[in-house]
C-alpha cells in the first residue's frame, strides 16, 4: 500500500491509525533515510498507545522501553548495530513473547531476520519548494507492506482507515 502525506500532523494521524490496530507481540519495521520520519512516527504511535513518557531516538542506546496503559512499547534503532550478535543481545524476541509491541527503526538492515512485521517505509518523495525562500513542504511517500502472517488479516481494515484520511496511491 502506498500513500502520500502532506504534513507532520499527517504522520501523527498515520501513527494513530496504526496504533488502533496494534496487538501484543506485534513487530513494526521502519525504513527510510535519516530524517525521513521514523522517530517522529514512533512518537506518534507511542502517544496514541498511551505512553506518557517522552519518546526519544534510541540511536545510541539501540533500545528504549516504555509502558502504556495497555501495552509495552519497545523502540529499537539498528542504525548503529555493528554485529548481528548485537541483535540477539537486544532480545526483541523475548520482548515480543512477553506481549510487547516492538518498533524497529532501520529494521530493514537485517533483511527479514526480525520475522513477521508491518513494514513501513518513509521517503521524502516529491518534496517541492513552493515559493522561493520558503521551506520545503513536509510531504512524505509512505509504503506499508505486511511481512508474513502477523499483519495480513488487518490490512483490509488498515487500508479502509487510511483511505479516509489520506490520498492512497496504491492498494494491495
Ligand atoms: N511529514 C513529516 N513526517 C515526519 N517528519 C517530518 C515530516 N515533515 C517534516 N518532518 C521533520 O523531519 C524530521 C524527521 O526526523 P526523525 O523522525 O528523527 O527521522 P528519522 O527517525 O527517520 O531519522 C523531523 O525534524 C520532523 O519534524
Ligand atoms: Mg530515528
Amino acid at each position: 500500500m502506498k500513500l502520500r502525506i502532506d504534513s507532520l500532523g499527517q504522520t501523527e494521524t498515520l501513527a494513530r491509525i496504526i496504533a488502533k490496530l496494534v496487538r501484543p507481540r506485534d513487530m513494526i519495521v521502519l525504513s527510510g533515510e535519516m530524517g525521513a520520519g521514523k522517530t517522529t512516527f514512533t512518537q506518534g504511535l507511542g502517544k496514541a498507545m498511551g505512553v506518557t513518557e517522552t519518546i526519544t531516538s534510541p540511536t545510541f542506546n539501540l533500545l528504549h522501553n516504555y509502558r502504556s496503559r495497555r501495552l509495552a512499547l519497545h523502540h529499537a534503532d539498528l542504525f548503529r548495530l555493528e554485529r548481528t550478535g548485537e541483535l540477539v543481545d537486544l532480545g526483541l524476541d523475548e520482548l515480543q513473547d512477553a506481549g510487547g509491541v516492538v518498533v524497529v527503526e532501520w529494521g530493514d538492515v537485517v533483511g527479514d531476520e526480525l520475522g513477521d512485521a508491518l513494514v513501513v517505509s518513509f521517503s521524502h518523495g516529491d518534496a517541492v519548494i513552493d515559493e522561493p525562500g520558503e521551506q520545503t513542504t513536509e510531504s512524505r511517500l509512505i509504503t506499508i507492506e505486511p511481512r508474513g502472517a502477523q499483519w495480513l488479516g488487518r490490512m483490509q481494515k488498515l487500508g479502509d482507515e487510511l483511505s479516509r484520511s489520506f490520498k492512497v496511491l496504491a492498494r494491495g
Side-chain angles (χ1 to χ4, degrees), residues 34 38 58-59 62 76-82 105-107 109:
M34 196 88 70
K38 303 180 294 299
T59 308
L62 298 184
D77 186 329
L78 303 187
F79 186 69
R80 282 170 192 272
L81 195 80
E82 278 163 9
E105 294 189 36
W106 295 99
V109 300

Side-chain angles (χ1 to χ4, degrees), residues 29-148:
V29 165
L30 305 180
S31 80
E33 66 194 59
M34 196 88 70
K38 303 180 294 299
T39 299
T40 303
F41 169 87
T42 310
Q43 288 165 337
L45 186 84
K47 196 169 148 194
M49 286 171 61
V51 172
T52 52
E53 245 182 294
T54 304
I55 293 173
T56 56
S57 176
T59 308
F60 296 97
N61 314 53
L62 298 184
L63 178 67
H64 288 166
N65 303 299
Y66 305 93
R67 287 168 182 282
S68 79
R69 279 177 266 109
R70 193 163 73 90
L71 295 165
L73 172 65
H74 306 286
H75 181 199
D77 186 329
L78 303 187
F79 186 69
R80 282 170 192 272
L81 195 80
E82 278 163 9
R83 308 166 282 107
T84 42
E86 272 185 307
L87 180 62
V88 178
D89 294 345
L90 287 178
L92 301 180
D93 284 351
E94 288 83 352
L95 296 171
Q96 272 184 291
D97 287 344
V101 171
V102 178
V103 177
V104 185
E105 294 189 36
W106 295 99
D108 54 314
V109 300
V110 292
D112 54 11
E113 206 143 311
L114 295 171
D116 286 13
L118 185 70
V119 182
V120 184
S121 309
F122 297 78
S123 73
H124 281 85
D126 55 353
V128 289
I129 296 177
D130 291 321
E131 298 288 337
E134 295 267 309
Q135 276 203 314
T136 56
T137 57
E138 298 183 329
S139 69
R140 296 288 191 270
L141 284 176
I142 314 271
T143 311
I144 304 175
E145 299 290 346
R147 185 169 69 205

Side-chain angles (χ1 to χ4, degrees), residues 1-15:
M1 186 155 36
K2 203 170 184 165
L3 51 103
R4 193 199 137 111
I5 60 178
D6 293 314
S7 68
L8 193 54
Q10 285 193 341
T11 295
E12 267 195 38
T13 303
L14 170 67

